[in-house]
Amino acid sequence: MFIDVPSAHLLIAFAPGGLETMAAMGIMMDANPAFIAAHHVLRIMFLTALIPVALRFIKD
């Protein structure tokens, strides 16, 4: 609603899976592969930073 990107493209960008697989699916869906790759890498970096913090709260 706030950006002019179809929801299917956002779903592929943030879906779990391999980066090359998501980029290939984005190409098949006529989406921008750079958009999908950038958001996929961002999601992986976010999870890498978030999981240790979450485990620290769960452990205590």
Side-chain angles (χ1 to χ4, degrees):
M1 179 162 70
F2 297 109
I3 57 175
D4 190 28
V5 177
S7 59
H9 296 185
L10 288 173
L11 181 65
I12 292 297
F14 289 105
L19 177 61
E20 65 281 351
T21 305
M22 294 302 125
M25 287 182 67
I27 291 171
M28 289 180 0
M29 294 177 63
D30 198 30
N32 184 353
F35 173 81
I36 291 174
H39 283 82
H40 195 71
V41 169
L42 188 83
R43 180 186 70 84
I44 291 170
M45 290 173 53
F46 178 73
L47 287 175
T48 301
L50 184 67
I51 289 175
V53 173
L55 288 176
R56 205 172 281 168
F57 282 116
I58 293 171
K59 186 177 178 183
D60 290 340

Short mmCIF file of all heavy atoms in Angstrom, two decimals:
data_model
loop_
_atom_site.label_atom_id
_atom_site.label_comp_id
_atom_site.label_asym_id
_atom_site.label_seq_id
_atom_site.Cartn_x
_atom_site.Cartn_y
_atom_site.Cartn_z
N MET A 1 0.82 -1.18 0.00
CA MET A 1 0.00 0.00 0.00
C MET A 1 0.88 1.26 0.00
O MET A 1 0.54 2.24 -0.63
CB MET A 1 -0.91 -0.01 1.22
CG MET A 1 -1.80 1.21 1.29
SD MET A 1 -3.21 1.08 2.37
CE MET A 1 -2.55 1.06 3.97
N PHE A 2 2.02 1.21 0.70
CA PHE A 2 2.88 2.38 0.78
C PHE A 2 3.86 2.47 -0.38
O PHE A 2 4.36 3.55 -0.66
CB PHE A 2 3.66 2.39 2.10
CG PHE A 2 2.77 2.48 3.30
CD1 PHE A 2 2.60 1.41 4.14
CD2 PHE A 2 2.09 3.64 3.57
CE1 PHE A 2 1.78 1.49 5.24
CE2 PHE A 2 1.25 3.75 4.68
CZ PHE A 2 1.10 2.66 5.51
N ILE A 3 4.15 1.35 -1.00
CA ILE A 3 5.09 1.35 -2.12
C ILE A 3 4.40 0.76 -3.34
O ILE A 3 3.41 0.04 -3.23
CB ILE A 3 6.37 0.56 -1.79
CG1 ILE A 3 6.05 -0.88 -1.38
CG2 ILE A 3 7.15 1.24 -0.69
CD1 ILE A 3 7.26 -1.73 -1.15
N ASP A 4 4.95 1.06 -4.48
CA ASP A 4 4.33 0.62 -5.73
C ASP A 4 4.98 -0.68 -6.22
O ASP A 4 5.59 -0.73 -7.28
CB ASP A 4 4.47 1.72 -6.78
CG ASP A 4 3.65 1.45 -8.02
OD1 ASP A 4 2.62 0.76 -7.90
OD2 ASP A 4 4.05 1.91 -9.10
N VAL A 5 4.87 -1.72 -5.39
CA VAL A 5 5.42 -3.03 -5.73
C VAL A 5 4.32 -4.05 -5.50
O VAL A 5 3.68 -4.05 -4.45
CB VAL A 5 6.65 -3.37 -4.85
CG1 VAL A 5 7.17 -4.76 -5.14
CG2 VAL A 5 7.75 -2.34 -5.05
N PRO A 6 4.08 -4.92 -6.47
CA PRO A 6 3.05 -5.95 -6.27
C PRO A 6 3.37 -6.85 -5.07
O PRO A 6 4.53 -7.13 -4.77
CB PRO A 6 3.09 -6.75 -7.57
CG PRO A 6 3.72 -5.84 -8.57
CD PRO A 6 4.65 -4.97 -7.80
N SER A 7 2.35 -7.28 -4.39
CA SER A 7 2.54 -8.09 -3.19
C SER A 7 3.22 -9.42 -3.49
O SER A 7 3.96 -9.93 -2.65
CB SER A 7 1.21 -8.32 -2.48
OG SER A 7 0.30 -8.96 -3.35
N ALA A 8 3.02 -9.98 -4.67
CA ALA A 8 3.69 -11.24 -5.02
C ALA A 8 5.20 -11.05 -5.09
O ALA A 8 5.96 -11.94 -4.70
CB ALA A 8 3.17 -11.76 -6.35
N HIS A 9 5.65 -9.89 -5.54
CA HIS A 9 7.09 -9.62 -5.61
C HIS A 9 7.67 -9.48 -4.20
O HIS A 9 8.78 -9.95 -3.94
CB HIS A 9 7.36 -8.36 -6.42
CG HIS A 9 6.94 -8.48 -7.85
ND1 HIS A 9 7.18 -7.51 -8.77
CD2 HIS A 9 6.30 -9.46 -8.53
CE1 HIS A 9 6.70 -7.87 -9.94
NE2 HIS A 9 6.15 -9.06 -9.80
N LEU A 10 6.93 -8.87 -3.31
CA LEU A 10 7.38 -8.76 -1.92
C LEU A 10 7.40 -10.13 -1.25
O LEU A 10 8.29 -10.41 -0.45
CB LEU A 10 6.48 -7.81 -1.14
CG LEU A 10 6.62 -6.33 -1.47
CD1 LEU A 10 5.55 -5.54 -0.74
CD2 LEU A 10 8.00 -5.84 -1.12
N LEU A 11 6.44 -10.96 -1.56
CA LEU A 11 6.40 -12.30 -0.99
C LEU A 11 7.64 -13.10 -1.40
O LEU A 11 8.26 -13.76 -0.56
CB LEU A 11 5.13 -13.02 -1.44
CG LEU A 11 4.94 -14.43 -0.91
CD1 LEU A 11 4.76 -14.41 0.60
CD2 LEU A 11 3.75 -15.08 -1.58
N ILE A 12 8.01 -13.02 -2.65
CA ILE A 12 9.21 -13.71 -3.13
C ILE A 12 10.46 -13.12 -2.49
O ILE A 12 11.39 -13.84 -2.14
CB ILE A 12 9.29 -13.65 -4.67
CG1 ILE A 12 8.17 -14.47 -5.28
CG2 ILE A 12 10.63 -14.15 -5.17
CD1 ILE A 12 8.21 -15.94 -4.97
N ALA A 13 10.49 -11.80 -2.32
CA ALA A 13 11.68 -11.14 -1.77
C ALA A 13 11.94 -11.56 -0.33
O ALA A 13 13.10 -11.65 0.09
CB ALA A 13 11.52 -9.62 -1.85
N PHE A 14 10.90 -11.82 0.44
CA PHE A 14 11.08 -12.16 1.85
C PHE A 14 10.81 -13.65 2.15
O PHE A 14 10.80 -14.04 3.31
CB PHE A 14 10.18 -11.28 2.73
CG PHE A 14 10.66 -9.86 2.78
CD1 PHE A 14 10.00 -8.87 2.07
CD2 PHE A 14 11.77 -9.52 3.52
CE1 PHE A 14 10.44 -7.57 2.10
CE2 PHE A 14 12.22 -8.22 3.58
CZ PHE A 14 11.55 -7.23 2.85
N ALA A 15 10.60 -14.45 1.13
CA ALA A 15 10.34 -15.88 1.34
C ALA A 15 11.64 -16.61 1.70
O ALA A 15 12.71 -16.26 1.21
CB ALA A 15 9.74 -16.49 0.08
N PRO A 16 11.55 -17.61 2.55
CA PRO A 16 12.75 -18.39 2.86
C PRO A 16 13.14 -19.25 1.66
O PRO A 16 12.29 -19.71 0.90
CB PRO A 16 12.33 -19.26 4.04
CG PRO A 16 10.85 -19.28 4.02
CD PRO A 16 10.40 -18.03 3.33
N GLY A 17 14.41 -19.44 1.51
CA GLY A 17 14.92 -20.23 0.40
C GLY A 17 16.25 -19.69 -0.05
O GLY A 17 16.75 -18.70 0.47
N GLY A 18 16.83 -20.34 -1.03
CA GLY A 18 18.12 -19.92 -1.54
C GLY A 18 18.01 -18.64 -2.35
O GLY A 18 17.00 -18.39 -3.03
N LEU A 19 19.05 -17.84 -2.30
CA LEU A 19 19.05 -16.56 -3.00
C LEU A 19 18.90 -16.76 -4.50
O LEU A 19 18.12 -16.06 -5.16
CB LEU A 19 20.35 -15.80 -2.70
CG LEU A 19 20.56 -14.47 -3.40
CD1 LEU A 19 19.46 -13.50 -3.01
CD2 LEU A 19 21.92 -13.92 -3.04
N GLU A 20 19.62 -17.73 -5.07
CA GLU A 20 19.53 -17.94 -6.51
C GLU A 20 18.16 -18.47 -6.92
O GLU A 20 17.64 -18.13 -7.98
CB GLU A 20 20.64 -18.89 -6.99
CG GLU A 20 20.56 -20.30 -6.45
CD GLU A 20 21.08 -20.48 -5.04
OE1 GLU A 20 21.68 -19.55 -4.48
OE2 GLU A 20 20.86 -21.57 -4.48
N THR A 21 17.53 -19.25 -6.05
CA THR A 21 16.19 -19.75 -6.34
C THR A 21 15.17 -18.62 -6.33
O THR A 21 14.32 -18.53 -7.22
CB THR A 21 15.78 -20.82 -5.31
OG1 THR A 21 16.78 -21.84 -5.29
CG2 THR A 21 14.44 -21.41 -5.63
N MET A 22 15.27 -17.75 -5.34
CA MET A 22 14.35 -16.63 -5.26
C MET A 22 14.55 -15.66 -6.42
O MET A 22 13.59 -15.11 -6.96
CB MET A 22 14.50 -15.87 -3.94
CG MET A 22 14.11 -16.68 -2.73
SD MET A 22 12.41 -17.24 -2.82
CE MET A 22 12.63 -18.98 -2.63
N ALA A 23 15.81 -15.45 -6.83
CA ALA A 23 16.08 -14.57 -7.98
C ALA A 23 15.50 -15.19 -9.25
O ALA A 23 14.91 -14.48 -10.08
CB ALA A 23 17.57 -14.34 -8.13
N ALA A 24 15.64 -16.51 -9.41
CA ALA A 24 15.07 -17.18 -10.59
C ALA A 24 13.54 -17.09 -10.58
O ALA A 24 12.93 -16.85 -11.63
CB ALA A 24 15.51 -18.64 -10.62
N MET A 25 12.93 -17.25 -9.40
CA MET A 25 11.47 -17.12 -9.33
C MET A 25 11.04 -15.69 -9.64
O MET A 25 10.01 -15.47 -10.27
CB MET A 25 10.97 -17.53 -7.94
CG MET A 25 11.03 -19.02 -7.71
SD MET A 25 10.39 -19.49 -6.11
CE MET A 25 8.67 -19.08 -6.29
N GLY A 26 11.83 -14.73 -9.20
CA GLY A 26 11.53 -13.33 -9.50
C GLY A 26 11.59 -13.05 -10.99
O GLY A 26 10.75 -12.32 -11.53
N ILE A 27 12.56 -13.63 -11.66
CA ILE A 27 12.66 -13.47 -13.12
C ILE A 27 11.45 -14.10 -13.80
O ILE A 27 10.88 -13.52 -14.72
CB ILE A 27 13.98 -14.06 -13.63
CG1 ILE A 27 15.16 -13.21 -13.15
CG2 ILE A 27 13.98 -14.15 -15.15
CD1 ILE A 27 16.51 -13.82 -13.41
N MET A 28 11.05 -15.27 -13.33
CA MET A 28 9.88 -15.93 -13.91
C MET A 28 8.61 -15.12 -13.68
O MET A 28 7.70 -15.15 -14.50
CB MET A 28 9.71 -17.34 -13.31
CG MET A 28 10.77 -18.30 -13.80
SD MET A 28 10.68 -20.00 -13.17
CE MET A 28 9.30 -20.09 -12.12
N MET A 29 8.55 -14.37 -12.57
CA MET A 29 7.37 -13.57 -12.27
C MET A 29 7.47 -12.15 -12.84
O MET A 29 6.65 -11.31 -12.54
CB MET A 29 7.17 -13.50 -10.76
CG MET A 29 6.84 -14.82 -10.12
SD MET A 29 6.69 -14.69 -8.35
CE MET A 29 5.31 -13.58 -8.20
N ASP A 30 8.51 -11.90 -13.62
CA ASP A 30 8.76 -10.59 -14.22
C ASP A 30 8.96 -9.52 -13.16
O ASP A 30 8.49 -8.39 -13.28
CB ASP A 30 7.63 -10.20 -15.17
CG ASP A 30 8.04 -9.09 -16.13
OD1 ASP A 30 9.23 -9.03 -16.46
OD2 ASP A 30 7.18 -8.30 -16.53
N ALA A 31 9.67 -9.89 -12.09
CA ALA A 31 10.01 -8.94 -11.03
C ALA A 31 11.46 -8.51 -11.21
O ALA A 31 12.22 -9.12 -11.98
CB ALA A 31 9.83 -9.59 -9.67
N ASN A 32 11.85 -7.49 -10.50
CA ASN A 32 13.21 -7.00 -10.56
C ASN A 32 14.10 -7.93 -9.71
O ASN A 32 13.96 -7.96 -8.49
CB ASN A 32 13.26 -5.57 -10.02
CG ASN A 32 14.62 -4.95 -10.12
OD1 ASN A 32 15.60 -5.59 -10.47
ND2 ASN A 32 14.68 -3.67 -9.82
N PRO A 33 15.03 -8.67 -10.32
CA PRO A 33 15.85 -9.60 -9.54
C PRO A 33 16.76 -8.89 -8.53
O PRO A 33 17.07 -9.45 -7.48
CB PRO A 33 16.66 -10.36 -10.58
CG PRO A 33 16.38 -9.75 -11.89
CD PRO A 33 15.28 -8.78 -11.75
N ALA A 34 17.19 -7.67 -8.84
CA ALA A 34 18.02 -6.92 -7.88
C ALA A 34 17.22 -6.57 -6.64
O ALA A 34 17.74 -6.63 -5.52
CB ALA A 34 18.58 -5.67 -8.55
N PHE A 35 15.96 -6.20 -6.80
CA PHE A 35 15.08 -5.90 -5.67
C PHE A 35 14.92 -7.14 -4.80
O PHE A 35 15.03 -7.08 -3.57
CB PHE A 35 13.72 -5.43 -6.19
CG PHE A 35 12.67 -5.25 -5.14
CD1 PHE A 35 12.63 -4.10 -4.38
CD2 PHE A 35 11.72 -6.24 -4.92
CE1 PHE A 35 11.65 -3.93 -3.41
CE2 PHE A 35 10.74 -6.08 -3.96
CZ PHE A 35 10.71 -4.92 -3.20
N ILE A 36 14.68 -8.26 -5.43
CA ILE A 36 14.47 -9.50 -4.69
C ILE A 36 15.75 -9.93 -3.99
O ILE A 36 15.73 -10.30 -2.81
CB ILE A 36 13.95 -10.60 -5.64
CG1 ILE A 36 12.53 -10.23 -6.07
CG2 ILE A 36 13.98 -11.97 -4.98
CD1 ILE A 36 11.94 -11.13 -7.10
N ALA A 37 16.88 -9.86 -4.66
CA ALA A 37 18.15 -10.26 -4.06
C ALA A 37 18.52 -9.37 -2.88
O ALA A 37 18.95 -9.86 -1.84
CB ALA A 37 19.25 -10.24 -5.11
N ALA A 38 18.33 -8.06 -3.04
CA ALA A 38 18.67 -7.13 -1.96
C ALA A 38 17.81 -7.38 -0.72
O ALA A 38 18.33 -7.42 0.41
CB ALA A 38 18.49 -5.69 -2.43
N HIS A 39 16.53 -7.60 -0.90
CA HIS A 39 15.66 -7.84 0.25
C HIS A 39 15.91 -9.22 0.86
O HIS A 39 15.77 -9.41 2.06
CB HIS A 39 14.20 -7.66 -0.15
CG HIS A 39 13.82 -6.23 -0.26
ND1 HIS A 39 14.08 -5.50 -1.39
CD2 HIS A 39 13.24 -5.38 0.62
CE1 HIS A 39 13.65 -4.27 -1.20
NE2 HIS A 39 13.15 -4.16 0.01
N HIS A 40 16.27 -10.18 0.03
CA HIS A 40 16.56 -11.51 0.55
C HIS A 40 17.83 -11.48 1.42
O HIS A 40 17.85 -12.04 2.50
CB HIS A 40 16.72 -12.49 -0.61
CG HIS A 40 16.67 -13.92 -0.21
ND1 HIS A 40 15.51 -14.53 0.21
CD2 HIS A 40 17.64 -14.86 -0.13
CE1 HIS A 40 15.77 -15.78 0.51
NE2 HIS A 40 17.05 -15.99 0.32
N VAL A 41 18.85 -10.79 0.94
CA VAL A 41 20.08 -10.65 1.72
C VAL A 41 19.81 -9.86 3.00
O VAL A 41 20.32 -10.21 4.08
CB VAL A 41 21.19 -10.00 0.87
CG1 VAL A 41 22.38 -9.60 1.72
CG2 VAL A 41 21.62 -10.94 -0.25
N LEU A 42 19.00 -8.82 2.92
CA LEU A 42 18.64 -8.04 4.10
C LEU A 42 17.91 -8.91 5.12
O LEU A 42 18.17 -8.82 6.33
CB LEU A 42 17.76 -6.86 3.70
CG LEU A 42 17.46 -5.87 4.79
CD1 LEU A 42 18.63 -4.90 4.92
CD2 LEU A 42 16.20 -5.11 4.47
N ARG A 43 17.03 -9.77 4.66
CA ARG A 43 16.30 -10.67 5.56
C ARG A 43 17.26 -11.62 6.26
O ARG A 43 17.16 -11.85 7.47
CB ARG A 43 15.25 -11.47 4.78
CG ARG A 43 14.43 -12.42 5.64
CD ARG A 43 13.52 -13.29 4.80
NE ARG A 43 14.25 -14.26 4.03
CZ ARG A 43 14.65 -15.45 4.49
NH1 ARG A 43 14.39 -15.79 5.72
NH2 ARG A 43 15.30 -16.28 3.72
N ILE A 44 18.22 -12.15 5.53
CA ILE A 44 19.19 -13.08 6.12
C ILE A 44 20.05 -12.36 7.15
O ILE A 44 20.31 -12.90 8.24
CB ILE A 44 20.05 -13.72 5.02
CG1 ILE A 44 19.19 -14.66 4.18
CG2 ILE A 44 21.23 -14.47 5.60
CD1 ILE A 44 19.85 -15.16 2.92
N MET A 45 20.50 -11.15 6.85
CA MET A 45 21.31 -10.38 7.80
C MET A 45 20.50 -10.04 9.05
O MET A 45 21.02 -10.11 10.16
CB MET A 45 21.84 -9.12 7.13
CG MET A 45 22.90 -9.41 6.09
SD MET A 45 23.42 -7.99 5.12
CE MET A 45 23.84 -6.82 6.36
N PHE A 46 19.24 -9.69 8.89
CA PHE A 46 18.38 -9.38 10.02
C PHE A 46 18.20 -10.60 10.92
O PHE A 46 18.31 -10.50 12.14
CB PHE A 46 17.03 -8.87 9.52
CG PHE A 46 16.05 -8.56 10.61
CD1 PHE A 46 16.21 -7.43 11.39
CD2 PHE A 46 14.97 -9.39 10.86
CE1 PHE A 46 15.31 -7.13 12.41
CE2 PHE A 46 14.06 -9.11 11.86
CZ PHE A 46 14.24 -7.97 12.64
N LEU A 47 17.97 -11.75 10.33
CA LEU A 47 17.80 -12.97 11.13
C LEU A 47 19.09 -13.37 11.82
O LEU A 47 19.08 -13.87 12.94
CB LEU A 47 17.29 -14.11 10.24
CG LEU A 47 15.83 -14.00 9.82
CD1 LEU A 47 15.49 -15.12 8.85
CD2 LEU A 47 14.92 -14.04 11.02
N THR A 48 20.22 -13.17 11.14
CA THR A 48 21.51 -13.49 11.74
C THR A 48 21.76 -12.64 12.97
O THR A 48 22.34 -13.11 13.96
CB THR A 48 22.63 -13.27 10.71
OG1 THR A 48 22.38 -14.10 9.57
CG2 THR A 48 23.99 -13.62 11.28
N ALA A 49 21.32 -11.40 12.95
CA ALA A 49 21.50 -10.53 14.12
C ALA A 49 20.44 -10.78 15.18
O ALA A 49 20.71 -10.62 16.38
CB ALA A 49 21.45 -9.07 13.67
N LEU A 50 19.24 -11.17 14.78
CA LEU A 50 18.13 -11.31 15.71
C LEU A 50 18.14 -12.63 16.49
O LEU A 50 17.77 -12.66 17.67
CB LEU A 50 16.81 -11.19 14.96
CG LEU A 50 15.54 -11.21 15.79
CD1 LEU A 50 15.47 -9.97 16.65
CD2 LEU A 50 14.33 -11.31 14.90
N ILE A 51 18.59 -13.70 15.89
CA ILE A 51 18.52 -15.02 16.53
C ILE A 51 19.34 -15.08 17.82
O ILE A 51 18.85 -15.58 18.83
CB ILE A 51 18.89 -16.13 15.54
CG1 ILE A 51 17.75 -16.29 14.54
CG2 ILE A 51 19.18 -17.45 16.24
CD1 ILE A 51 18.01 -17.27 13.44
N PRO A 52 20.59 -14.58 17.86
CA PRO A 52 21.31 -14.63 19.14
C PRO A 52 20.62 -13.84 20.26
O PRO A 52 20.61 -14.26 21.41
CB PRO A 52 22.68 -14.02 18.82
CG PRO A 52 22.84 -14.20 17.36
CD PRO A 52 21.47 -14.11 16.78
N VAL A 53 20.02 -12.71 19.92
CA VAL A 53 19.30 -11.92 20.92
C VAL A 53 18.08 -12.68 21.42
O VAL A 53 17.82 -12.75 22.63
CB VAL A 53 18.91 -10.55 20.34
CG1 VAL A 53 18.02 -9.78 21.30
CG2 VAL A 53 20.14 -9.76 19.95
N ALA A 54 17.36 -13.30 20.51
CA ALA A 54 16.17 -14.07 20.91
C ALA A 54 16.56 -15.27 21.77
O ALA A 54 15.88 -15.58 22.75
CB ALA A 54 15.43 -14.53 19.66
N LEU A 55 17.65 -15.93 21.42
CA LEU A 55 18.09 -17.08 22.23
C LEU A 55 18.53 -16.66 23.63
O LEU A 55 18.33 -17.39 24.59
CB LEU A 55 19.23 -17.80 21.52
CG LEU A 55 18.83 -18.60 20.29
CD1 LEU A 55 20.05 -19.20 19.61
CD2 LEU A 55 17.83 -19.68 20.64
N ARG A 56 19.08 -15.48 23.75
CA ARG A 56 19.49 -14.98 25.05
C ARG A 56 18.27 -14.77 25.95
O ARG A 56 18.28 -15.08 27.13
CB ARG A 56 20.26 -13.68 24.90
CG ARG A 56 21.20 -13.42 26.04
CD ARG A 56 22.08 -12.24 25.78
NE ARG A 56 23.17 -12.65 24.90
CZ ARG A 56 23.99 -11.81 24.28
NH1 ARG A 56 23.83 -10.52 24.43
NH2 ARG A 56 24.95 -12.25 23.52
N PHE A 57 17.17 -14.27 25.36
CA PHE A 57 15.94 -14.08 26.15
C PHE A 57 15.27 -15.40 26.47
O PHE A 57 14.71 -15.57 27.55
CB PHE A 57 14.95 -13.17 25.39
CG PHE A 57 15.30 -11.72 25.47
CD1 PHE A 57 15.64 -11.03 24.33
CD2 PHE A 57 15.28 -11.05 26.68
CE1 PHE A 57 15.95 -9.69 24.38
CE2 PHE A 57 15.59 -9.71 26.76
CZ PHE A 57 15.93 -9.02 25.60
N ILE A 58 15.31 -16.33 25.55
CA ILE A 58 14.68 -17.64 25.78
C ILE A 58 15.46 -18.44 26.82
O ILE A 58 14.88 -19.13 27.66
CB ILE A 58 14.58 -18.42 24.45
CG1 ILE A 58 13.59 -17.73 23.52
CG2 ILE A 58 14.18 -19.87 24.70
CD1 ILE A 58 13.57 -18.30 22.12
N LYS A 59 16.80 -18.33 26.80
CA LYS A 59 17.64 -19.09 27.70
C LYS A 59 17.42 -18.68 29.16
O LYS A 59 17.48 -19.51 30.05
CB LYS A 59 19.10 -18.89 27.31
CG LYS A 59 20.06 -19.73 28.08
CD LYS A 59 21.47 -19.51 27.57
CE LYS A 59 22.46 -20.34 28.39
NZ LYS A 59 23.82 -20.09 27.95
N ASP A 60 17.18 -17.42 29.41
CA ASP A 60 17.01 -16.93 30.80
C ASP A 60 15.67 -17.21 31.35
O ASP A 60 14.70 -17.45 31.08
CB ASP A 60 17.28 -15.42 30.86
CG ASP A 60 18.76 -15.14 30.65
OD1 ASP A 60 19.58 -16.04 30.83
OD2 ASP A 60 19.07 -13.98 30.30
#
